[in-house]
mmCIF file of all heavy atoms in Angstrom:
data_model
loop_
_atom_site.group_PDB
_atom_site.id
_atom_site.type_symbol
_atom_site.label_atom_id
_atom_site.label_comp_id
_atom_site.label_asym_id
_atom_site.label_seq_id
_atom_site.Cartn_x
_atom_site.Cartn_y
_atom_site.Cartn_z
ATOM 1 N N LYS T 15 -2.509 15.138 -21.846
ATOM 2 C CA LYS T 15 -2.974 14.012 -20.939
ATOM 3 C C LYS T 15 -2.895 14.436 -19.474
ATOM 4 O O LYS T 15 -3.763 14.117 -18.633
ATOM 5 C CB LYS T 15 -2.061 12.805 -21.167
ATOM 6 C CG LYS T 15 -2.483 12.005 -22.308
ATOM 7 C CD LYS T 15 -3.590 11.001 -21.929
ATOM 8 C CE LYS T 15 -3.817 9.945 -23.068
ATOM 9 N NZ LYS T 15 -5.052 9.183 -22.814
ATOM 10 N N THR T 16 -1.783 15.034 -19.167
ATOM 11 C CA THR T 16 -1.545 15.464 -17.773
ATOM 12 C C THR T 16 -2.545 16.538 -17.331
ATOM 13 O O THR T 16 -3.077 16.484 -16.219
ATOM 14 C CB THR T 16 -0.113 15.966 -17.598
ATOM 15 O OG1 THR T 16 0.780 14.934 -17.981
ATOM 16 C CG2 THR T 16 0.167 16.412 -16.185
ATOM 17 N N TYR T 19 -5.717 14.919 -16.691
ATOM 18 C CA TYR T 19 -5.623 14.213 -15.410
ATOM 19 C C TYR T 19 -5.778 15.251 -14.203
ATOM 20 O O TYR T 19 -6.400 14.904 -13.230
ATOM 21 C CB TYR T 19 -4.265 13.509 -15.331
ATOM 22 C CG TYR T 19 -4.011 12.902 -13.993
ATOM 23 C CD1 TYR T 19 -4.708 11.824 -13.568
ATOM 24 C CD2 TYR T 19 -2.964 13.390 -13.180
ATOM 25 C CE1 TYR T 19 -4.420 11.220 -12.314
ATOM 26 C CE2 TYR T 19 -2.663 12.829 -11.974
ATOM 27 C CZ TYR T 19 -3.391 11.765 -11.560
ATOM 28 O OH TYR T 19 -3.139 11.235 -10.314
ATOM 29 N N TYR T 20 -5.131 16.371 -14.338
ATOM 30 C CA TYR T 20 -5.193 17.390 -13.293
ATOM 31 C C TYR T 20 -6.637 17.811 -13.126
ATOM 32 O O TYR T 20 -7.079 18.162 -12.001
ATOM 33 C CB TYR T 20 -4.262 18.543 -13.544
ATOM 34 C CG TYR T 20 -2.839 18.187 -13.303
ATOM 35 C CD1 TYR T 20 -1.828 19.081 -13.702
ATOM 36 C CD2 TYR T 20 -2.451 17.026 -12.653
ATOM 37 C CE1 TYR T 20 -0.491 18.807 -13.475
ATOM 38 C CE2 TYR T 20 -1.115 16.729 -12.505
ATOM 39 C CZ TYR T 20 -0.117 17.612 -12.930
ATOM 40 O OH TYR T 20 1.185 17.307 -12.732
ATOM 41 N N ASN T 33 -19.468 22.600 -27.510
ATOM 42 C CA ASN T 33 -19.061 21.386 -28.190
ATOM 43 C C ASN T 33 -18.475 20.332 -27.224
ATOM 44 O O ASN T 33 -18.035 19.268 -27.603
ATOM 45 C CB ASN T 33 -18.045 21.705 -29.264
ATOM 46 C CG ASN T 33 -16.893 22.581 -28.753
ATOM 47 O OD1 ASN T 33 -16.711 22.721 -27.535
ATOM 48 N ND2 ASN T 33 -16.133 23.114 -29.658
ATOM 49 N N ARG T 53 5.608 20.626 -9.166
ATOM 50 C CA ARG T 53 5.911 19.183 -9.482
ATOM 51 C C ARG T 53 7.407 19.109 -9.841
ATOM 52 O O ARG T 53 8.080 18.102 -9.505
ATOM 53 C CB ARG T 53 5.063 18.660 -10.581
ATOM 54 C CG ARG T 53 3.623 18.519 -10.189
ATOM 55 C CD ARG T 53 3.319 17.338 -9.310
ATOM 56 N NE ARG T 53 3.764 16.102 -10.010
ATOM 57 C CZ ARG T 53 4.487 15.143 -9.373
ATOM 58 N NH1 ARG T 53 4.822 15.263 -8.121
ATOM 59 N NH2 ARG T 53 4.819 14.080 -10.000
ATOM 60 N N SER T 58 4.554 16.506 -4.091
ATOM 61 C CA SER T 58 3.523 15.549 -4.480
ATOM 62 C C SER T 58 2.307 16.322 -4.924
ATOM 63 O O SER T 58 2.112 17.517 -4.674
ATOM 64 C CB SER T 58 3.173 14.678 -3.285
ATOM 65 O OG SER T 58 2.440 15.359 -2.312
ATOM 66 N N ILE T 59 1.402 15.593 -5.531
ATOM 67 C CA ILE T 59 0.152 16.144 -6.011
ATOM 68 C C ILE T 59 -0.642 16.680 -4.849
ATOM 69 O O ILE T 59 -1.218 17.760 -4.899
ATOM 70 C CB ILE T 59 -0.715 15.056 -6.762
ATOM 71 C CG1 ILE T 59 -0.040 14.746 -8.106
ATOM 72 C CG2 ILE T 59 -2.142 15.516 -6.966
ATOM 73 C CD1 ILE T 59 -0.208 15.799 -9.177
ATOM 74 P P DA X 16 1.905 11.866 -6.355
ATOM 75 O OP1 DA X 16 3.019 12.767 -5.907
ATOM 76 O OP2 DA X 16 0.502 12.149 -5.870
ATOM 77 O "O5'" DA X 16 1.896 11.755 -7.919
ATOM 78 C "C5'" DA X 16 3.110 11.451 -8.578
ATOM 79 C "C4'" DA X 16 2.835 11.249 -9.999
ATOM 80 O "O4'" DA X 16 2.174 9.937 -10.183
ATOM 81 C "C3'" DA X 16 1.901 12.253 -10.720
ATOM 82 O "O3'" DA X 16 2.473 12.617 -11.936
ATOM 83 C "C2'" DA X 16 0.646 11.486 -10.875
ATOM 84 C "C1'" DA X 16 1.165 10.142 -11.164
ATOM 85 N N9 DA X 16 0.243 9.010 -11.076
ATOM 86 C C8 DA X 16 -0.973 8.975 -10.537
ATOM 87 N N7 DA X 16 -1.623 7.810 -10.697
ATOM 88 C C5 DA X 16 -0.775 7.071 -11.469
ATOM 89 C C6 DA X 16 -0.754 5.770 -11.974
ATOM 90 N N6 DA X 16 -1.800 4.935 -11.798
ATOM 91 N N1 DA X 16 0.309 5.313 -12.723
ATOM 92 C C2 DA X 16 1.346 6.104 -12.909
ATOM 93 N N3 DA X 16 1.510 7.396 -12.431
ATOM 94 C C4 DA X 16 0.428 7.796 -11.708
ATOM 95 P P DC X 17 2.035 13.973 -12.606
ATOM 96 O OP1 DC X 17 3.066 14.351 -13.620
ATOM 97 O OP2 DC X 17 1.641 14.967 -11.584
ATOM 98 O "O5'" DC X 17 0.686 13.608 -13.371
ATOM 99 C "C5'" DC X 17 0.709 13.162 -14.741
ATOM 100 C "C4'" DC X 17 1.423 11.832 -14.950
ATOM 101 O "O4'" DC X 17 0.578 10.794 -14.316
ATOM 102 C "C3'" DC X 17 1.570 11.431 -16.382
ATOM 103 O "O3'" DC X 17 2.967 11.278 -16.654
ATOM 104 C "C2'" DC X 17 0.827 10.131 -16.527
ATOM 105 C "C1'" DC X 17 0.652 9.707 -15.103
ATOM 106 N N1 DC X 17 -0.560 8.869 -14.862
ATOM 107 C C2 DC X 17 -0.612 7.492 -15.265
ATOM 108 O O2 DC X 17 0.358 7.029 -15.811
ATOM 109 N N3 DC X 17 -1.749 6.800 -15.082
ATOM 110 C C4 DC X 17 -2.761 7.319 -14.482
ATOM 111 N N4 DC X 17 -3.855 6.613 -14.305
ATOM 112 C C5 DC X 17 -2.767 8.684 -14.071
ATOM 113 C C6 DC X 17 -1.655 9.454 -14.285
ATOM 114 P P DT X 18 3.471 11.550 -18.136
ATOM 115 O OP1 DT X 18 4.956 11.506 -18.052
ATOM 116 O OP2 DT X 18 2.810 12.743 -18.676
ATOM 117 O "O5'" DT X 18 2.909 10.291 -18.974
ATOM 118 C "C5'" DT X 18 3.622 9.072 -18.909
ATOM 119 C "C4'" DT X 18 2.872 8.059 -19.775
ATOM 120 O "O4'" DT X 18 1.635 7.648 -19.125
ATOM 121 C "C3'" DT X 18 2.528 8.494 -21.159
ATOM 122 O "O3'" DT X 18 3.174 7.651 -22.004
ATOM 123 C "C2'" DT X 18 0.953 8.435 -21.235
ATOM 124 C "C1'" DT X 18 0.683 7.413 -20.114
ATOM 125 N N1 DT X 18 -0.581 7.521 -19.442
ATOM 126 C C2 DT X 18 -1.360 6.327 -19.378
ATOM 127 O O2 DT X 18 -0.988 5.239 -19.789
ATOM 128 N N3 DT X 18 -2.535 6.464 -18.692
ATOM 129 C C4 DT X 18 -3.081 7.652 -18.147
ATOM 130 O O4 DT X 18 -4.162 7.648 -17.617
ATOM 131 C C5 DT X 18 -2.219 8.812 -18.326
ATOM 132 C C7 DT X 18 -2.686 10.158 -17.756
ATOM 133 C C6 DT X 18 -1.045 8.681 -18.933
ATOM 134 P P DG X 19 3.206 7.929 -23.601
ATOM 135 O OP1 DG X 19 4.605 7.688 -24.110
ATOM 136 O OP2 DG X 19 2.581 9.185 -23.926
ATOM 137 O "O5'" DG X 19 2.297 6.732 -24.151
ATOM 138 C "C5'" DG X 19 2.426 5.448 -23.564
ATOM 139 C "C4'" DG X 19 1.413 4.495 -24.222
ATOM 140 O "O4'" DG X 19 0.192 4.534 -23.398
ATOM 141 C "C3'" DG X 19 1.066 4.899 -25.655
ATOM 142 O "O3'" DG X 19 0.974 3.677 -26.419
ATOM 143 C "C2'" DG X 19 -0.424 5.531 -25.437
ATOM 144 C "C1'" DG X 19 -0.892 4.774 -24.251
ATOM 145 N N9 DG X 19 -1.811 5.563 -23.433
ATOM 146 C C8 DG X 19 -1.660 6.914 -23.057
ATOM 147 N N7 DG X 19 -2.645 7.375 -22.281
ATOM 148 C C5 DG X 19 -3.512 6.268 -22.172
ATOM 149 C C6 DG X 19 -4.725 6.113 -21.459
ATOM 150 O O6 DG X 19 -5.319 6.974 -20.849
ATOM 151 N N1 DG X 19 -5.283 4.869 -21.625
ATOM 152 C C2 DG X 19 -4.713 3.825 -22.347
ATOM 153 N N2 DG X 19 -5.350 2.681 -22.382
ATOM 154 N N3 DG X 19 -3.566 3.945 -22.983
ATOM 155 C C4 DG X 19 -3.012 5.193 -22.853
ATOM 156 P P DG X 20 0.677 3.738 -27.942
ATOM 157 O OP1 DG X 20 1.459 2.682 -28.574
ATOM 158 O OP2 DG X 20 0.758 5.103 -28.401
ATOM 159 O "O5'" DG X 20 -0.861 3.248 -27.894
ATOM 160 C "C5'" DG X 20 -1.293 2.126 -27.117
ATOM 161 C "C4'" DG X 20 -2.781 1.984 -27.298
ATOM 162 O "O4'" DG X 20 -3.465 2.772 -26.293
ATOM 163 C "C3'" DG X 20 -3.382 2.396 -28.679
ATOM 164 O "O3'" DG X 20 -4.296 1.415 -29.044
ATOM 165 C "C2'" DG X 20 -3.942 3.719 -28.422
ATOM 166 C "C1'" DG X 20 -4.511 3.509 -26.965
ATOM 167 N N9 DG X 20 -4.720 4.766 -26.205
ATOM 168 C C8 DG X 20 -4.004 5.874 -26.257
ATOM 169 N N7 DG X 20 -4.537 6.787 -25.447
ATOM 170 C C5 DG X 20 -5.692 6.246 -24.993
ATOM 171 C C6 DG X 20 -6.664 6.786 -24.121
ATOM 172 O O6 DG X 20 -6.655 7.886 -23.579
ATOM 173 N N1 DG X 20 -7.677 5.823 -23.809
ATOM 174 C C2 DG X 20 -7.721 4.608 -24.325
ATOM 175 N N2 DG X 20 -8.757 3.869 -23.966
ATOM 176 N N3 DG X 20 -6.820 4.105 -25.175
ATOM 177 C C4 DG X 20 -5.841 5.014 -25.418
ATOM 178 P P DA X 21 -4.725 1.372 -30.602
ATOM 179 O OP1 DA X 21 -4.099 0.194 -31.200
ATOM 180 O OP2 DA X 21 -4.466 2.696 -31.177
ATOM 181 O "O5'" DA X 21 -6.238 1.117 -30.454
ATOM 182 C "C5'" DA X 21 -6.759 0.300 -29.380
ATOM 183 C "C4'" DA X 21 -8.208 0.654 -29.084
ATOM 184 O "O4'" DA X 21 -8.271 1.833 -28.224
ATOM 185 C "C3'" DA X 21 -9.021 0.960 -30.344
ATOM 186 O "O3'" DA X 21 -10.293 0.308 -30.245
ATOM 187 C "C2'" DA X 21 -9.191 2.473 -30.346
ATOM 188 C "C1'" DA X 21 -9.152 2.777 -28.841
ATOM 189 N N9 DA X 21 -8.660 4.085 -28.452
ATOM 190 C C8 DA X 21 -7.474 4.675 -28.893
ATOM 191 N N7 DA X 21 -7.263 5.914 -28.359
ATOM 192 C C5 DA X 21 -8.422 6.080 -27.573
ATOM 193 C C6 DA X 21 -8.827 7.228 -26.741
ATOM 194 N N6 DA X 21 -8.131 8.273 -26.603
ATOM 195 N N1 DA X 21 -10.056 7.059 -26.115
ATOM 196 C C2 DA X 21 -10.715 5.910 -26.241
ATOM 197 N N3 DA X 21 -10.456 4.880 -26.984
ATOM 198 C C4 DA X 21 -9.267 4.977 -27.665
ATOM 199 P P DC X 24 -20.000 8.874 -32.666
ATOM 200 O OP1 DC X 24 -21.121 7.969 -32.453
ATOM 201 O OP2 DC X 24 -19.468 9.049 -34.034
ATOM 202 O "O5'" DC X 24 -20.328 10.213 -32.009
ATOM 203 C "C5'" DC X 24 -20.239 11.396 -32.533
ATOM 204 C "C4'" DC X 24 -19.605 12.408 -31.598
ATOM 205 O "O4'" DC X 24 -18.219 12.209 -31.396
ATOM 206 C "C3'" DC X 24 -19.804 13.760 -32.291
ATOM 207 O "O3'" DC X 24 -20.076 14.734 -31.332
ATOM 208 C "C2'" DC X 24 -18.439 13.993 -32.887
ATOM 209 C "C1'" DC X 24 -17.475 13.271 -32.010
ATOM 210 N N1 DC X 24 -16.307 12.752 -32.695
ATOM 211 C C2 DC X 24 -15.101 13.472 -32.684
ATOM 212 O O2 DC X 24 -15.040 14.498 -32.078
ATOM 213 N N3 DC X 24 -14.022 12.914 -33.330
ATOM 214 C C4 DC X 24 -14.108 11.792 -34.016
ATOM 215 N N4 DC X 24 -13.003 11.325 -34.596
ATOM 216 C C5 DC X 24 -15.308 11.010 -33.994
ATOM 217 C C6 DC X 24 -16.327 11.513 -33.330
ATOM 218 P P DC X 25 -20.691 16.100 -31.893
ATOM 219 O OP1 DC X 25 -21.333 16.812 -30.746
ATOM 220 O OP2 DC X 25 -21.437 15.766 -33.077
ATOM 221 O "O5'" DC X 25 -19.428 16.962 -32.345
ATOM 222 C "C5'" DC X 25 -18.504 17.433 -31.331
ATOM 223 C "C4'" DC X 25 -17.469 18.335 -31.959
ATOM 224 O "O4'" DC X 25 -16.465 17.516 -32.640
ATOM 225 C "C3'" DC X 25 -18.017 19.314 -33.047
ATOM 226 O "O3'" DC X 25 -17.451 20.593 -32.731
ATOM 227 C "C2'" DC X 25 -17.467 18.734 -34.356
ATOM 228 C "C1'" DC X 25 -16.200 18.043 -33.907
ATOM 229 N N1 DC X 25 -15.696 16.910 -34.763
ATOM 230 C C2 DC X 25 -14.383 16.885 -35.228
ATOM 231 O O2 DC X 25 -13.691 17.905 -34.973
ATOM 232 N N3 DC X 25 -13.975 15.865 -35.952
ATOM 233 C C4 DC X 25 -14.790 14.831 -36.161
ATOM 234 N N4 DC X 25 -14.298 13.785 -36.885
ATOM 235 C C5 DC X 25 -16.129 14.777 -35.649
ATOM 236 C C6 DC X 25 -16.563 15.845 -34.944
ATOM 237 P P DC X 26 -18.079 21.852 -33.359
ATOM 238 O OP1 DC X 26 -18.418 22.765 -32.200
ATOM 239 O OP2 DC X 26 -19.099 21.490 -34.323
ATOM 240 O "O5'" DC X 26 -16.832 22.535 -34.090
ATOM 241 C "C5'" DC X 26 -15.477 22.305 -33.642
ATOM 242 C "C4'" DC X 26 -14.493 22.523 -34.750
ATOM 243 O "O4'" DC X 26 -14.210 21.308 -35.437
ATOM 244 C "C3'" DC X 26 -14.957 23.511 -35.769
ATOM 245 O "O3'" DC X 26 -13.899 24.536 -35.942
ATOM 246 C "C2'" DC X 26 -15.131 22.670 -37.017
ATOM 247 C "C1'" DC X 26 -14.127 21.552 -36.759
ATOM 248 N N1 DC X 26 -14.432 20.235 -37.434
ATOM 249 C C2 DC X 26 -13.394 19.576 -38.086
ATOM 250 O O2 DC X 26 -12.308 20.129 -38.157
ATOM 251 N N3 DC X 26 -13.641 18.395 -38.707
ATOM 252 C C4 DC X 26 -14.887 17.823 -38.603
ATOM 253 N N4 DC X 26 -15.135 16.635 -39.158
ATOM 254 C C5 DC X 26 -15.939 18.511 -37.904
ATOM 255 C C6 DC X 26 -15.676 19.714 -37.332
#
Side-chain angles (χ1 to χ4, degrees):
Chain T
K15 276 277 191 190
T16 300
Y19 174 68
Y20 287 169
N33 53 13
R53 292 287 300 135
S58 72
I59 290 286

